[in-house]
Amino acid sequence: KHYSADSDIITLKSGEIFTIALESNPTTGYSWSIEAPLPEIMQKVIHEYKPYNTSGNIVGSGGTEVWTFKTIAKGNATLSFQYSRPWEKDVPPIKKELYQISVK
C-alpha cells in the first residue's frame, strides 16, 4: 500500500508492507531522510529514487523517493522525514513530512 502526507492515521497489521513516496530532485543537492530513529514498530525494507518519466531524459527534472517499510510489532508511532542537504549541518530542512502509524 502507498500513503501520501495528507493521509490520516495509517492503520496497518503487523507484518504488513507499505510505502511512502516523496517528491525529490537530487540535482538540487536535497534528499529525504528519516528525521529521528526509525520507530521500533517497523523496519526499512528499501529506499530508492525513481526519476519522472520524461521524454528525452531531461536533466534536473526530478522524481520520487520511495521508502518501503514492514511493520514488525504492534503500537503507535510517528514517522518523520526531512528534506535537506546532508552536508549543511546547521541549516533547517526546507520541508518536513509526518506520518502517524498505528499497527494493530
Side-chain angles (χ1 to χ4, degrees):
K1 294 179 181 179
H2 164 74
Y3 298 94
S4 60
D6 56 1
S7 297
D8 292 326
I9 296 175
I10 300 170
T11 303
L12 304 160
K13 295 177 182 174
S14 187
E16 197 167 346
I17 293 176
F18 68 102
T19 62
I20 303 289
L22 301 164
E23 287 188 16
S24 179
N25 190 338
T27 63
T28 64
Y30 287 94
S31 62
W32 288 99
S33 62
I34 297 172
E35 188 172 14
L38 188 63
E40 294 180 3
I41 62 171
M42 66 186 71
Q43 64 186 21
K44 184 176 79 172
V45 175
I46 191 168
H47 169 222
E48 57 190 338
Y49 175 75
K50 295 183 178 182
Y52 292 138
N53 187 10
T54 58
S55 59
N57 293 325
I58 300 170
V59 175
S61 64
T64 306
E65 287 186 54
V66 180
W67 296 76
T68 302
F69 300 94
K70 181 178 181 180
T71 59
I72 57 173
K74 293 180 181 180
N76 299 311
T78 300
L79 183 56
S80 177
F81 293 91
Q82 63 182 13
Y83 194 58
S84 61
R85 290 179 170 146
W87 65 87
E88 295 181 336
K89 297 301 179 199
D90 295 324
V91 178
I94 62 169
K95 293 182 198 173
K96 287 188 175 187
E97 297 290 345
L98 299 174
Y99 298 84
Q100 299 300 320
I101 311 293
S102 178
V103 181
K104 304 288 184 190

